[in-house]
Amino acid sequence: MPPKKSPATKTAAKPATKTAGGTKSTGGAKGAGAAKGAGAAKAKAAEAPPKAPPLPEVKMEAKQIIPFLTHDKDEIIKKSQRWPYIVDQTGVVARLLQYSDINVLEVMMSDQMEPERIRMALLGSLKFGKPLVIDMGDLDMFTAINEFLNRILPDLTDLVMTKKVMEEKCIDQLIKPTDDQDNKNSMLYKADSFRFGLITSKEMVSDEMKSRMLVVRVE
């Protein structure tokens, strides 16, 4: 009789190598990639500019707000280098704005937040050197306003907040070929007199708004 064949020997699977803490060790390449990604994220965070410290709040009477916006008589806006964030719990200023020589847009009116409506209001204020104020009602709608502005031009919110929108090259970016001829010559714009502001009746002001704008409370 032929000898019996011995059964094939199976090689046992090697257990996954564990680290001292009991966690399965990943491949060196994967570990290095994760470490590199984490390092890049930290470096990016470190490069981000810190938020500007909030400025002391300014208090005014309702009747002072319109001259403050149109003429900045005491150069409060100029010296602060920030646009005003007006907190008016009385509701008086919002009514006064409707009868002033100031362009006003209301966030809660959807047609007034259309890109073309905002663009023309912004161009008009830059052209004639007058303020543009966005009324947020009783809310803080800055996140939505940021989105509305950036639909017109990438980073338009930052251009407005940093006042770079007053520069001729930025105005040229806002002008369309289909605009009236009167609007196409940015050199004739009175942008130096342009001002921007937000108004709300909400008492609490977010840290972001405090760091980006000058809080003005109506007494």
Side-chain angles (χ1 to χ4, degrees), residues 140-208:
D140 178 350
M141 298 289 289
F142 182 74
T143 300
I145 292 170
N146 175 57
E147 183 179 334
F148 294 143
L149 289 174
N150 290 344
R151 286 177 184 174
I152 302 167
L153 200 67
D155 299 323
L156 181 55
T157 300
D158 288 336
L159 292 175
V160 171
M161 289 297 178
T162 59
K163 304 187 180 183
K164 289 182 180 179
V165 73
M166 299 162 66
E167 297 174 4
E168 191 176 314
K169 62 181 180 180
C170 290
I171 296 174
D172 286 336
Q173 288 181 285
L174 288 168
I175 297 173
K176 290 183 176 181
T178 54
D179 286 339
D180 293 339
Q181 196 62 37
D182 291 343
N183 290 335
K184 290 183 178 180
N185 192 349
S186 58
M187 293 180 65
L188 300 178
Y189 277 53
K190 300 177 181 178
D192 288 345
S193 299
F194 167 79
R195 293 182 185 89
F196 177 79
L198 300 177
I199 183 170
T200 180
S201 62
K202 184 178 180 180
E203 181 181 7
M204 298 297 294
V205 181
S206 69
D207 290 340
E208 181 180 9

Side-chain angles (χ1 to χ4, degrees), residues 36-152:
K36 186 177 180 181
K42 287 182 180 179
K44 188 174 182 180
E47 291 173 2
K51 285 187 176 181
L55 297 176
E57 295 186 356
V58 176
K59 293 184 179 181
M60 291 186 183
E61 295 180 14
K63 64 182 181 181
Q64 295 177 291
I65 296 296
I66 303 301
F68 163 67
L69 288 170
T70 54
H71 298 101
D72 191 23
K73 182 180 177 182
D74 297 321
E75 296 189 336
I76 295 174
I77 297 174
K78 182 179 180 180
K79 291 175 182 176
S80 71
Q81 298 185 339
R82 299 185 190 181
W83 297 127
Y85 184 97
I86 302 166
V87 179
D88 174 31
Q89 291 184 278
T90 68
V92 174
V93 175
R95 292 195 296 273
L96 292 176
L97 285 171
Q98 301 298 329
Y99 300 98
S100 67
D101 190 26
I102 292 175
N103 285 336
V104 181
L105 295 174
E106 296 182 36
V107 174
M108 302 310 291
M109 303 294 288
S110 58
D111 61 318
Q112 295 187 21
M113 289 296 103
E114 291 293 329
E116 187 63 8
R117 181 72 176 271
I118 299 173
R119 186 184 74 88
M120 292 306 297
L122 181 55
L123 273 181
S125 290
L126 288 164
K127 180 180 179 181
F128 296 106
K130 60 171 64 178
L132 170 62
V133 175
I134 300 182
D135 187 346
M136 302 186 291
D138 58 356
L139 302 170
D140 178 350
M141 298 289 289
F142 182 74
T143 300
I145 292 170
N146 175 57
E147 183 179 334
F148 294 143
L149 289 174
N150 290 344
R151 286 177 184 174
I152 302 167

